[in-house]
């Protein structure tokens, strides 16, 4: 339609000149002006034509030479425009004639198929490709859009292809292809990755992959700690209720999480209920949830309680000794039947949960004084585990110091390679009423305030420095060379990490949270680097 509108007689008229004696007149008026110029060519072969309007006035002349010149200019302009279109598009363009020879081939086609235009233009397309869409649409005189096609083994495209028609017959074809090879390859890679993830999930569900031991988060080698972990490890696979006793800061919640992660409920919710932090008037609605309109201010849709949120998982009742007597009765029913009612509700709610409780109080004395229900005590005290305070396992302090030191050095971007013996002595001599939590906070403070690569006594909190000065005779209870004890503990930890990493020092540094250069320095200082000494067994 574009060519039909451009090549009209009116666009080829020239002013009358000396050719008047060679001219025939066409007095059809305005109608002749809207005819296609090519329809007048047979008449122009012999004579020029003068076009007149209906009043007999000459509108203009059609001269063969001028018409041919204009036609040649038009063809060249059209060819230039077509070349520009082929160059600017992001699609791969291929054009063929009715003999299926290539008449158009743009730069995108050269890049995709690696065939230069000068090598393919004018030649049969079958010399280069098989199973082509563009030849099929020409032969079948039909159009295709957004059809997936694979012209070569390693090439994938979406193709639009239509025949080129002239006067009702097919004189060629054109195709526009969008390269989707990368998308197809990414999709296949994604499918493979999805399949691998699926297999991995199945393997995890079948316990074919060894889990990381969650009890390794309880640092230390003291016999009491090992005995406690052994009991917890044996209790973990069961659904037995566990009561964890110990002073504040000994790591009761860490042990509870380890028991949960070592059980078949790992991956399910682990919900912490601090019995001493929830006000008595809100305890029921928080634990059991409430129904719509149960009380003033209740949400319009109700709310599930913490027990419902923990379904299929574990509920950790922290500070159970702080629970008021009237609420102990309601909790006892849940422990016995695993059934409860929401506040304002009449429908029983069943849950499948495991209970782990913790306290820093002497429940037996509370039972005797009537502060704690005896039946609830026996329901909770199925497996009792006592967390030893830090002052009773002082030999673990160097290891804890090392662990926390590496953790906070990594967190704050510091490289601390040494702790002065006086610092270790002060830490060993202190009674640690806040237990491991207090030690961890102290190490964090020292890492933050340390000015160089060595933690000195001036980095200690003031109360620890004063305690160390008045320590006196009590120091004789500990090894005379505390620096040696710290070095041996550090050496043992590095050797263990080396064994876990199969001797790979890069992996060992990653396991310990150390820069590799710092690990080499420590190994050299401790006599590990290049040693033939066998690694310790687990």
């Amino acid at each position: 339609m574009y060519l039909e509108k451009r090549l009209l007689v009116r666009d080829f008229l020239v002013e009358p000149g000396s050719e008047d004696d060679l001219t025939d007149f066409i007095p059809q008026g305005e109608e002749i002006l809207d005819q296609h110029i090519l329809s007048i060519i047979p008449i122009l072969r012999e004579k020029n034509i003068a076009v007149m309007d209906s009043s007999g006035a000459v509108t203009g002349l059609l001269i063969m030479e001028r018409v041919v010149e204009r036609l040649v200019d038009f063809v060249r302009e059209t060819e230039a425009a077509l070349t520009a279109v082929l160059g600017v598009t992001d699609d791969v363009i291929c054009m063929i004639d009715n003999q299926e020879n290539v008449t158009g081939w743009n730069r995108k086609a050269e890049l995709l198929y690696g065939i230069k235009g000068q090598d393919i233009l004018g030649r049969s397309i079958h010399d280069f490709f098989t199973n082509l869409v563009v030849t099929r649409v020409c032969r079948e005189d039909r159009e295709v859009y957004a059809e997936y096609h694979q012209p070569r083994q390693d090439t994938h495209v979406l193709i639009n292809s239509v025949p080129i028609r002239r006067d009702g017959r097919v004189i060629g074809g054109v195709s526009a292809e969008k390269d989707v090879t990368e998308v197809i390859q990414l999709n296949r890679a994604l499918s493979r990755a999805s399949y691998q993830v699926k297999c991995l999930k199945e393997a995890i569900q079948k316990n074919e992959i060894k889990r990381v031991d969650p009890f390794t988060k309880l640092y230390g080698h003291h016999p009491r700690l090992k005995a406690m972990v052994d009991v917890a490890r044996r209790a973990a696979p069961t659904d037995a209720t566990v009561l964890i006793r110990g002073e504040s800061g000994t790591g009761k919640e860490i042990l509870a999480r380890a028991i949960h992660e070592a059980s078949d409920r790992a991956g399910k919710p682990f919900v912490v209920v601090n019995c001493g932090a929830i006000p008595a008037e809100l305890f029921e609605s928080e634990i059991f949830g409430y129904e719509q309109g149960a009380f003033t201010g209740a949400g319009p849709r109700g709310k599930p309680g913490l027990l419902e949120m923990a379904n299929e998982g574990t509920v950790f009742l922290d500070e159970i000794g702080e629970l008021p007597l009237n609420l102990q009765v309601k909790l006892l029913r849940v422990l016995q039947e695993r059934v409860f009612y929401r506040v304002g509700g009449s429908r029983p709610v069943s849950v499948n949960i495991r209970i782990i409780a913790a306290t820093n109080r002497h429940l037996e004395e509370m039972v005797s004084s009537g502060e704690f229900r005896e039946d609830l005590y026996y329901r909770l005290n199925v497996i009792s585990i006592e967390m030893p305070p830090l002052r009773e396992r002082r030999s673990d302090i160097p290891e804890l110091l090392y662990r926390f030191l590496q953790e906070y050095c990594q967190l704050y971007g510091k490289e601390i390679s040494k702790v002065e013996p006086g610092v270790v002595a002060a830490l060993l001599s202190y009674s640690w009423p806040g237990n491991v939590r207090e030690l961890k906070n102290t190490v964090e403070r020292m890492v933050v305030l340390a000015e160089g690569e060595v933690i000195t006594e001036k980095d200690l909190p003031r109360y620890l420095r004063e305690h160390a000065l008045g320590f006196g005779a009590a120091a004789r209870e500990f090894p005379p060379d505390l620096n040696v004890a710290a070095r041996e503990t550090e050496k043992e930890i590095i050797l263990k990490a080396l064994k876990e990493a199969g001797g790979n020092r890069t992996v060992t540094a990653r396991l310990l949270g150390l820069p590799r250069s710092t690990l080499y320095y420590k190994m050299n200082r401790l006599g590990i680097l290049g040693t033939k000494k066998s690694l310790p067994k687990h």
Side-chain angles (χ1 to χ4, degrees):
M1 295 300 293
Y2 176 71
L3 295 180
E4 296 290 340
K5 291 180 179 179
R6 289 291 303 274
L7 300 180
L8 301 179
V9 169
R10 66 173 69 248
D11 298 321
F12 289 82
L13 295 178
V14 298
E15 295 292 329
S18 61
E19 300 90 350
D20 292 353
D21 58 332
L22 304 175
T23 301
D24 285 338
F25 292 96
I26 303 179
Q28 291 96 331
E30 295 295 328
E31 296 179 1
I32 188 66
L33 298 177
D34 293 328
Q35 291 188 27
H36 195 287
I37 188 63
L38 297 181
S39 66
I40 310 299
I41 293 297
I43 304 175
L44 281 173
R45 288 177 180 172
E46 298 181 3
K47 291 195 175 187
N48 299 327
I49 296 176
V51 180
M52 303 170 59
D53 59 20
S54 56
S55 64
V58 176
T59 304
L61 296 176
L62 288 173
I63 302 172
M64 184 64 176
E65 293 179 359
R66 302 287 181 87
V67 170
V68 171
E69 289 176 2
R70 291 290 308 277
L71 286 174
V72 170
D73 288 341
F74 179 81
V75 170
R76 288 177 176 174
E77 290 174 2
T78 303
E79 183 180 12
L82 181 60
T83 301
V85 170
L86 294 180
V88 77
T89 181
D90 284 334
D91 291 342
V92 172
I93 304 296
C94 175
M95 299 173 61
I96 62 172
D97 58 21
N98 58 355
Q99 300 298 316
E100 299 182 351
N101 295 322
V102 179
T103 58
W105 189 257
N106 69 347
R107 177 169 173 75
K108 285 291 183 179
E110 292 182 340
L111 295 174
L112 180 62
Y113 294 113
I115 302 173
K116 294 291 185 181
Q118 61 193 31
D119 297 330
I120 194 173
L121 289 173
R123 294 181 59 180
S124 172
I125 196 167
H126 299 289
D127 293 343
F128 301 89
F129 301 96
T130 59
N131 185 31
L132 290 169
V133 174
V134 67
T135 57
R136 188 169 72 246
V137 299
C138 290
R139 294 170 186 173
E140 300 174 3
D141 191 12
R142 66 183 183 90
E143 302 175 356
V144 299
Y145 295 95
E147 180 178 295
Y148 169 74
H149 183 53
Q150 190 173 1
R152 287 185 172 178
Q153 183 177 359
D154 56 349
T155 305
H156 307 268
V157 298
L158 290 179
I159 187 169
N160 298 333
S161 186
V162 297
I164 300 174
R165 301 182 181 93
R166 177 69 181 174
D167 298 330
R169 64 187 181 88
V170 176
I171 62 170
V174 60
S175 66
E177 304 171 18
K178 186 174 295 293
D179 182 18
V180 293
T181 303
E182 185 176 353
V183 175
I184 295 294
Q185 291 173 345
L186 287 173
N187 183 62
R188 290 177 177 174
L190 180 60
S191 297
R192 287 194 298 269
S194 299
Y195 176 74
Q196 291 171 352
V197 170
K198 180 182 177 182
C199 293
L200 187 59
K201 287 182 177 178
E202 292 175 353
I204 292 174
Q205 291 172 356
K206 294 178 182 178
N207 291 322
E208 293 178 358
I209 297 179
K210 183 180 179 182
R211 295 176 181 171
V212 176
D213 185 4
F215 292 101
T216 56
K217 296 176 184 177
L218 294 157
Y219 303 137
H221 293 83
H222 192 278
R224 285 192 60 186
L225 184 71
K226 289 184 175 181
M228 178 208 70
V229 169
D230 182 59
V231 173
R233 198 188 299 277
R234 283 180 284 163
T238 73
D239 275 341
T241 302
V242 177
L243 177 62
I244 305 174
R245 302 164 178 264
E247 299 176 6
S248 294
T250 51
K252 295 188 291 296
E253 184 174 339
I254 295 175
L255 178 60
R257 286 185 182 275
I259 293 173
H260 169 74
E261 292 172 8
S263 72
D264 293 335
R265 297 177 184 268
K268 302 296 183 179
F270 179 83
V271 176
V272 179
V273 179
N274 192 321
C275 300
I278 303 176
E281 58 272 15
L282 298 179
F283 188 85
E284 284 188 74
S285 60
E286 289 295 319
I287 297 299
F288 305 126
Y290 55 82
E291 295 289 354
Q292 176 182 354
F295 50 84
T296 303
R301 298 183 181 178
K303 177 186 175 183
L306 295 174
L307 296 182
E308 282 183 78
M309 295 170 61
N311 192 35
E312 303 294 332
T314 302
V315 175
F316 176 52
L317 301 173
D318 195 15
E319 304 300 345
I320 190 68
E322 305 299 326
L323 194 64
L325 273 172
N326 62 321
L327 299 177
Q328 293 177 22
V329 179
K330 298 177 180 180
L331 180 60
L332 177 63
R333 180 179 177 84
V334 177
L335 296 180
Q336 290 174 334
E337 303 177 10
R338 298 298 195 267
V339 175
F340 61 90
Y341 292 87
R342 283 185 176 186
V343 176
S346 58
R347 179 179 57 86
V349 179
S350 299
V351 288
N352 174 17
I353 55 176
R354 181 186 190 169
I355 300 294
I356 300 177
T359 183
N360 61 358
R361 303 183 66 178
H362 296 287
L363 294 184
E364 293 82 2
E365 295 178 3
M366 295 180 67
V367 169
S368 299
S369 63
E371 298 177 75
F372 201 84
R373 290 184 62 93
E374 186 176 13
D375 47 5
L376 178 58
Y377 168 76
Y378 287 115
R379 179 63 62 177
L380 293 173
N381 196 34
V382 177
I383 297 177
S384 181
I385 299 177
E386 183 77 26
M387 295 286 291
L390 186 57
R391 63 181 175 275
E392 295 180 8
R393 57 183 186 105
R394 294 179 190 269
S395 60
D396 286 339
I397 289 178
E399 178 178 348
L400 291 169
L401 169 63
Y402 176 85
R403 296 281 188 177
F404 298 149
L405 189 65
Q406 302 311 313
E407 178 181 338
Y408 288 118
C409 282
Q410 190 171 16
L411 178 63
Y412 295 116
K414 291 199 170 186
E415 290 193 19
I416 295 176
S417 57
K418 184 179 179 181
V419 179
E420 283 188 349
V423 174
V424 180
L427 299 181
L428 285 169
S429 67
Y430 187 58
S431 61
W432 298 107
N435 292 293
V436 178
R437 183 187 294 129
E438 184 183 4
L439 173 62
K440 189 172 184 179
N441 293 343
T442 300
V443 175
E444 181 179 11
R445 178 189 185 279
M446 292 191 298
V447 169
V448 171
L449 297 181
E451 296 179 352
E453 297 183 356
V454 179
I455 290 182
T456 64
E457 293 183 37
K458 69 181 181 62
D459 298 318
L460 286 167
R462 181 177 178 181
Y463 68 91
L464 275 176
R465 291 200 303 271
E466 293 175 351
H467 173 79
L469 290 174
F471 183 45
R476 289 192 295 271
E477 298 178 10
F478 303 104
D481 193 344
L482 294 173
N483 190 31
V484 172
R487 284 169 57 91
E488 288 302 315
T489 301
E490 187 175 26
K491 184 174 182 179
E492 180 183 350
I493 293 171
I494 293 176
L495 287 171
K496 183 178 179 181
L498 277 167
K499 181 174 178 61
E500 291 178 1
N504 188 311
R505 294 169 185 172
T506 301
V507 176
T508 302
R510 191 180 304 120
L511 288 173
L512 295 173
L514 290 172
R516 194 165 57 176
S517 58
T518 302
L519 175 64
Y520 285 168
Y521 166 78
K522 289 179 177 293
M523 291 176 65
N524 184 58
R525 181 171 59 85
L526 297 170
I528 300 174
L529 199 61
T531 181
K532 300 295 183 179
K533 182 179 178 180
S534 60
L535 297 176
K537 296 181 179 180
H538 287 294

